[in-house]
């Protein structure tokens, strides 16, 4: 209950939807993210016609892309050859584009 009161105080909006994992009422943060106050994690709500499987798959894809971005960033940090820098930058751009395609999700 305390978490929920805190979230309301921070301007979050309580939704009529409950968390698919634990059943707690969900909150929409000012940033637009849907948040479960009990598990303290972001919850991705399914859009019309989407399956739980599909959402989980996208979430794991997003995680994979994030991991690759971190890896490429480290390599870019160390890179000195212009050809390598260009190749890494192009790959990072593609990953960011793909992430951007995954991200847009509003209830
Ligand atoms: Zn939950």
């Amino acid at each position: 209950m305390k978490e929920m009161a805190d979230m309301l105080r921070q301007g979050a909006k309580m939704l009529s939807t409950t968390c698919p994992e634990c059943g707690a009422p969900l909150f929409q943060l000012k940033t637009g993210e849907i948040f479960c106050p009990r598990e303290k994690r972001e919850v991705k709500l399914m859009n019309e016609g989407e399956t739980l499987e599909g959402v989980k798959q996208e979430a794991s894809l997003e995680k994979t892309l994030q991991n690759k971005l971190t890896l490429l960033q480290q390599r870019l940090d160390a890179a000195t050859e212009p050809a390598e820098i260009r190749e890494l930058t192009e790959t990072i751009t593609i990953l960011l584009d793909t992430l951007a395609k995954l991200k847009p999700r509003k209830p």
Side-chain angles (χ1 to χ4, degrees), residues 20-21 44-46 49-59:
E21 296 292 331
K44 295 232 176 342
L45 287 182
M46 289 188 288
E50 262 182 342
T51 64
L52 187 57
E53 237 11 79
V55 169
K56 280 188 180 164
Q57 202 174 16
E58 274 191 19

Side-chain angles (χ1 to χ4, degrees), residues 50-68:
E50 262 182 342
T51 64
L52 187 57
E53 237 11 79
V55 169
K56 280 188 180 164
Q57 202 174 16
E58 274 191 19
S60 75
L61 178 58
E62 197 178 315
K63 210 156 160 231
T64 303
L65 291 170
Q66 295 281 8
N67 291 344
K68 294 298 171 209

